[in-house]
């Protein structure tokens, strides 16, 4: 069945009475100012599908369990390692399925899973079992997945891996690339395969260059960038370059590259990322939760980079809160409102988020994914909002229906089959006392 919407709000504005014909999960035709036909799915106010461009699904284990400890990012990281140590393919499937279910019922239609828990705890290989578990979890709830298979080789610049990091590593850039190319043929479950360099802390300069050269130009390549000042200081001390300069020298920066966080940048860093047309994934709820800081999102966009959003550690799973966090952090940092036009933050959540995950045509455009989110425009939160400003007032509770590939995957907080994400999370988290 095709889809008729009373109103469609996207980065180009507002269209009324819109009908989408779809085939093979993609939009085949778009008609405007038409009446619905008898067999159409009839919706109210709709936005294009929303991409969660940066997620670590297993970090969801830590939600509500780390605040009392205080400390900083580095202390939080120890709890993260403890959670990673408990994962095996079975428990990872169950946990990722629950997290992806929470995402899709909250209004995310696609996710980029930044995945580095590859092997057994002692570092001996699984035959792609962890990666296939994540892909199967996404397929089971109907969310689009770009699996960002991640290289992780060192415990810090010029430092060996710690025992708790062994399961993340393939040992060398060459071994990572060999496993990545094998995985491309075997990941299955409808997932797209992207790649990632964890960070300049976890992958040496020469290895970063080797990985960038060993991937074809159509493969999205993501990297954590300058999330913490210590990373910058260590990189400058070791290489005489900022992390951004190192990535540029290594051949990483281009339109296929995505930098995650990009919090502590120099003016030169911003210029390099902008000139490359790179994507930048801002994760406002995580960056606030971990005390990372507020990145120069407006400056990056003005320089020519593109913005996207991510839930990162999944302490919060709400695309609306994440998206307006872009604007609210800018207001706090600069003491002014309206740092982004509504169209700019909507584009970050939708078209440019999908672009960072390898989709060259935006959702709800002809040839693009038939992915959309129906928003309740008459809730206590949204009533009275101008349609173009719903992203600044709605929350995940206002995601009425979520459609991926032309098919309903979630409705009113539950999966299409009626399953509650809360029940899935309850069952999954029992493995992580």
């Amino acid at each position: 069945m095709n889809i008729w919407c009373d109103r469609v709000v996207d980065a180009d504005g507002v269209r009324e009475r819109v009908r989408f014909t779809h085939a093979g999960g993609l939009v085949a035709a778009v008609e405007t100012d038409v009446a619905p036909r008898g067999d159409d799915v009839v919706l109210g106010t709709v936005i294009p599908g929303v991409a969660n461009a940066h997620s670590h699904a297993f970090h969801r284990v830590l939600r509500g369990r780390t605040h009392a400890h205080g400390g900083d990012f580095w202390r939080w990281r120890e709890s993260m390692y403890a959670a990673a140590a408990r994962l095996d393919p079975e428990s990872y499937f169950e946990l990722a399925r629950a997290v992806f279910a929470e995402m899709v019922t909250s209004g995310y239609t696609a996710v980029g899973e930044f995945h580095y828990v590859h092997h057994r705890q002692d570092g001996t290989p699984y035959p792609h079992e962890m990666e296939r578990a994540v892909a199967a979890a996404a397929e089971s709830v109907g969310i689009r997945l770009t699996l960002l298979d991640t290289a992780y080789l060192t415990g810090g610049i010029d430092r060996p891996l710690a025992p708790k990091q062994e399961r993340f590593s393939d040992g060398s850039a060459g071994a990572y690339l060999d496993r990545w190319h094998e995985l491309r043929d075997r990941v299955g479950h409808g997932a797209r395969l992207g790649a990632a360099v964890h960070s300049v802390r976890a992958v040496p300069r020469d290895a970063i260059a080797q990985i960038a050269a060993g991937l074809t130009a159509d493969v999205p390549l993501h990297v954590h960038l300058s999330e913490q000042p210590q990373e910058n200081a260590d990189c400058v001390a070791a290489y005489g370059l900022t992390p951004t300069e190192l990535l540029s020298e290594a051949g990483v920066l281009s339109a296929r590259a995505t930098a995650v966080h990009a919090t502590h940048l120099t003016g030169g860093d911003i210029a390099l990322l902008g000139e490359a047309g790179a994507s930048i994934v801002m994760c406002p709820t995580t960056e606030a939760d971990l005390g990372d800081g507020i990145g120069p999102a407006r400056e990056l966009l003005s320089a020519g980079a593109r913005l996207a959003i991510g839930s990162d550690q999944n302490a919060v799973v709400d695309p609306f809160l994440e998206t307006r966090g872009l604007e609210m952090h800018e207001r706090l940092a600069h003491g002014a409102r309206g740092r982004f036009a509504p169209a700019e933050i909507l584009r970050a959540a939708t078209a440019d988020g999908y672009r960072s995950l390898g989709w060259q045509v935006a959702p709800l455009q002809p040839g693009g994914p038939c992915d959309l989110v129906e928003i309740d425009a008459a809730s206590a939160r949204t009533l009275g909002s101008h349609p173009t400003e719903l992203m600044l007032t709605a929350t995940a509770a206002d995601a009425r229906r979520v459609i991926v590939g032309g098919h309903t995957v979630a409705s009113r907080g539950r999966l299409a089959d009626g399953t509650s994400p809360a029940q899935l999370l309850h069952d999954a988290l029992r493995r992580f006392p």
Side-chain angles (χ1 to χ4, degrees):
M1 291 187 291
N2 296 310
I3 300 165
W4 184 90
C5 308
D6 183 54
R7 175 184 292 138
V8 175
V9 184
D10 62 21
D12 295 323
V14 180
R15 292 174 286 169
E16 306 285 347
R17 296 162 52 83
V18 183
R19 186 171 189 269
F20 296 98
T21 303
H22 61 90
L26 305 177
V27 174
V30 183
E31 302 168 87
T32 303
D33 198 23
V34 297
R37 298 179 187 174
D39 61 349
D40 287 349
V41 174
V42 176
L43 304 176
T45 298
V46 160
I47 62 171
V50 178
N52 182 354
H54 186 71
S55 163
H56 300 290
F58 80 89
H59 291 189
R60 171 61 180 82
V61 171
L62 305 179
R63 185 191 297 179
R65 298 185 180 186
T66 61
H67 181 77
H69 300 161
D72 56 12
F73 167 85
W74 305 103
R75 181 166 182 176
W76 169 89
R77 194 173 67 155
E78 295 304 312
S79 298
M80 180 273 289
Y81 287 143
R86 297 189 179 102
L87 293 171
D88 58 33
E90 182 181 354
S91 65
Y92 207 178
F93 167 79
E94 192 172 2
L95 179 60
R97 178 180 57 176
V99 175
F100 293 154
E102 184 180 10
M103 287 181 194
V104 79
T105 57
S106 298
Y108 286 116
T109 51
V111 59
E113 182 62 24
F114 199 103
H115 168 72
Y116 51 83
V117 188
H118 302 302
H119 307 302
R120 295 179 175 85
Q121 287 191 42
D122 63 0
T124 57
Y126 280 123
H128 310 296
E129 291 181 40
M130 298 295 272
E131 292 73 30
R132 289 178 60 82
V134 174
E139 182 187 43
S140 73
V141 304
I143 196 169
R144 293 190 190 272
L145 172 68
T146 297
L147 184 64
L148 299 165
D149 192 81
T150 303
Y152 196 121
L153 303 177
T154 62
I157 296 175
D158 294 328
R159 286 165 49 192
L161 292 164
K164 57 199 169 190
Q165 298 167 318
E166 291 285 351
R167 70 181 316 188
F168 306 158
S169 180
D170 294 300
S172 70
Y176 164 79
L177 286 168
D178 288 344
R179 186 182 55 77
W180 188 93
H181 284 287
E182 287 181 3
L183 181 60
R184 195 170 201 182
D185 297 329
R186 301 179 188 180
V187 64
H189 300 286
R192 291 185 166 214
L193 185 62
V197 170
H198 181 275
S199 59
V200 302
R201 290 183 285 108
V203 185
R205 173 168 57 180
D206 291 347
I208 292 173
Q210 184 179 347
I211 290 167
L215 300 167
T216 57
D218 63 325
V219 176
L221 180 58
H222 289 222
V223 57
H224 291 126
L225 179 66
S226 293
E227 183 178 3
Q228 294 291 321
Q230 189 63 50
E231 174 185 311
N232 292 356
D234 291 347
C235 190
V236 171
Y239 301 116
L241 300 168
T242 68
T244 303
E245 290 168 340
L246 187 150
L247 294 178
S248 179
E249 181 189 82
V252 171
L253 297 189
S254 69
R256 66 97 170 253
T258 293
V260 181
H261 302 303
T263 306
H264 303 283
L265 302 180
T266 67
D269 294 339
I270 293 170
L272 284 171
L273 291 161
E275 289 164 6
S279 297
I280 311 294
V281 185
M282 295 292 183
C283 308
T285 62
T286 288
E287 288 147 10
D289 183 75
L290 297 181
D292 289 345
I294 298 173
R298 175 72 263 175
E299 290 85 349
L300 284 159
L301 186 63
S302 296
R306 302 195 190 204
L307 299 182
I309 60 164
S311 66
D312 194 357
Q313 61 160 326
N314 296 299
V316 176
V317 175
D318 187 323
F320 303 97
L321 295 184
E322 215 70 66
T323 303
R324 68 172 165 269
L326 284 176
E327 169 67 18
M328 299 310 167
H329 282 192
E330 284 285 319
R331 293 181 186 185
L332 290 171
H334 296 278
R337 304 178 78 245
R339 295 277 295 173
F340 293 107
E344 290 176 320
I345 57 175
L346 183 55
R347 183 178 294 110
T350 58
D352 284 350
Y354 267 71
R355 176 182 177 271
S356 78
L357 299 182
W359 292 89
Q360 297 307 309
V361 182
L364 296 191
Q365 296 298 313
C370 190
D371 300 352
L372 56 88
V373 182
E374 182 187 24
I375 299 176
D376 186 346
S379 74
R381 293 163 294 279
T382 60
L383 193 63
S385 301
H386 190 279
T388 60
E389 297 192 23
L390 283 168
M391 296 300 289
L392 295 168
T393 58
T395 71
D398 297 308
R400 296 182 65 179
R401 195 180 312 193
V402 181
I403 291 177
V404 176
H407 302 287
T408 298
V409 295
S411 181
R412 297 185 182 276
R414 290 179 175 267
L415 298 179
D417 64 3
T419 301
S420 164
Q423 185 60 54
L424 293 177
L425 286 162
H426 174 270
D427 294 343
L429 290 173
R430 285 185 301 181
R431 296 175 177 263
F432 300 89

